[in-house]
Amino acid sequence: MSNSPPPVNNSYDPTNALDDIPGLHWALNEFLQSRMHESERFCEQSDPEKQRLYFATGFGLIQCVKGLMSFEDKDLLAAINHTKRGIAVASAHRKRPASFAGRLAGYIVPAFSTSGTEWIAGMTPVERHAELVYAESLYQKSLLGIVYSGDWLAFIREVLNMRTTISIYRQLGKWIETVDATYALAHPELLAAISTPETGANVEETPPQSSSTSFASANSSSIADSPSPSPKHTSTQDITSPTSVTHTYLPCPSIDPHFRSGVYLGLGMSHLVLSMMPGKLLALVELFGYKGDRKFGLELLERAGGWGANGRVVEKEAEGVRRAICDMSLLIFHLVLSAFTFEGVDVRKATRILEWNLKRYPNGVFFLFGAGRLALVRSQPSKALTYYARAAQAQSQYRNLHHISWWESAVACLGLWRVADSRLWWGKLGGEATWSKATYTYGEAACLATLGKHAEAKKLMERVQGLRQKIAGKSIPIEKFVARKARKYLAQSDTLLLPALELAYVFHAIAHAPREVIVREMIPAVGEALGVLGLALSSESEGGAKKGKDKKLESRSGYWDDVCLARFLEGVCWRFVAYPDPDAELEPDEKIPVSPEDARTYSERAFRAVFEHGPDIELDHYIVYYAHFEYGRLLARSGDKDGARTHFNLVLSGKPLEVNAAGRKGKYSLENALHVRTNAALEALDQNRLL
């Protein structure tokens, strides 16, 4: 795309609103090239009155990003006001609703309906784009409102707005499907051509793909009840059946790629988000008629860039304006959300998407973040740190973007067991970033305590509780966790067992640590902690037998909590020595002095020690549940699927697994996150995916 912005007509005619899309596309590319201020300035200069459909809402999107990055109330409120303006502008461009009599007639005569494909078909191109932009702006406002709101009533109001957004996306998606079906039936020769790989390379700018799910298959009741197309509109995708036979997808060229990419983005993300909801929340959402199909959601996002298995990459000259956002959404799923789910994750596909976008945006901060995350997923934290440094150097206009690099660098340093370096990153975050000051402060304190600097650590631990925040009136789980650990540190006279290594587990740094680092640095650290407890590593003696029974030591408050934590972390470390993460790229000259079989044995001993002493835990009840989860993963990788399923089901059973005389009260730390991961692990087990 040219470095010079395209001309923008000074006088604005709403009927020609789509003429502004090239200008907004240029502004978005400037933003992705890390020239944020230039992008923002162009949008403001092109539409100072904020009345143009695409510039007003595009500027609102920029403000939304800024607000979510800073997490400051003033920025969030400013972003909400800009998105409200975008909603008003989009509403002014939308098709006027029918009269009351017309809406009543719509229940009898489908042609008069305001909720079916006939209503969308009767719109002008500008009105259809306005419908799409209205849904996007409403979604942005809802997201900002959920983050900004401090009570449940505001949260519920924004969730209802999201329901409206999803309904609009489903209507637009169903219309696209109907138009594509009509086009496919009218051009059987094109359909036959793209069904043959050898002859289908140059049929369409948008690549042909296959699908077995319709836009409407996970629809709300309001959309599902809308009139179905007549037989002549029968789609190459079955509109009503999610279990139909896979057919080739042939896009109609009369629908512009900008509109398509927007519908693919909104509908794809809707399916993806719904598919990842926890069971209890999903049951509530399904009462409203919504279901998420993850496979189809990913396919829709892939269509915008042509990343499907049967397609070719859409070049930038033919792409829709929202294509880059679809690509970024895919990268977030495959490289970030993959820590909590397994189904649909494809790191190789993420690599293709990332490499293509890095060639296009070599200085693009968002894709440099992606490159760093990819390196971390591959268990290459040193390489990840290089990319995060480049991302921080790529731009200085949006200071808050540096905080992402700092967070990722803090975690990567834990993966290398460079605790002092990690402490510096947490300290920088605590001084500037506002997302979760309680977490940053505890991160720095945990590193200081690990380094033996307890005077400095104590001052920070005392601040953690007061720095906690709430979203929609609810506490943030990770902040509840770090606040509990900070209180425990202070209650135990400024001592805490392996706080930095425990944090490394919580943030998946152990999972992505090089095996040499685990063996050379992390396991010896656990060994030292066990020595203080009068115990030895599982690798040093059968079952890590005690060096000598010390009744006084065992009677200390919190002793068995420490034993179980040390054994749990030992089990996790040996587990990743035995079976590295499936996406890890191991160094060819890697030297591990322990065989996978021995490492598996040591890991099993450590986890069994947690189960044995779990009933003696006083505070850190979460350890037992996470131990069952990790032991289940160990069994799955060693081929014992039935054993793995047993332990996963124990985690999800709701039964107390560490009962003592006092008993556990309330939920244990990070419970919801564990349930999400355990459900995902069960699904992966059924699909024969490595855990």
Side-chain angles (χ1 to χ4, degrees), residues 146-160:
I146 288 172
V147 173
Y148 181 75
S149 64
D151 58 78
W152 269 99
L153 288 177
F155 174 77
I156 292 171
R157 182 176 64 247
E158 300 302 346
V159 168
L160 291 176

Side-chain angles (χ1 to χ4, degrees), residues 77 80-81 84 87 134 137-166 284 288 472-473:
L77 193 58
I80 289 172
N81 290 332
K84 283 181 178 178
I87 291 170
Y134 176 81
S137 298
L138 194 61
Y139 175 79
Q140 292 163 22
K141 177 186 171 294
S142 299
L143 181 61
L144 290 163
I146 288 172
V147 173
Y148 181 75
S149 64
D151 58 78
W152 269 99
L153 288 177
F155 174 77
I156 292 171
R157 182 176 64 247
E158 300 302 346
V159 168
L160 291 176
N161 284 337
M162 282 194 171
R163 182 170 182 258
T164 301
T165 297
I166 294 174
L284 178 63
F288 292 95

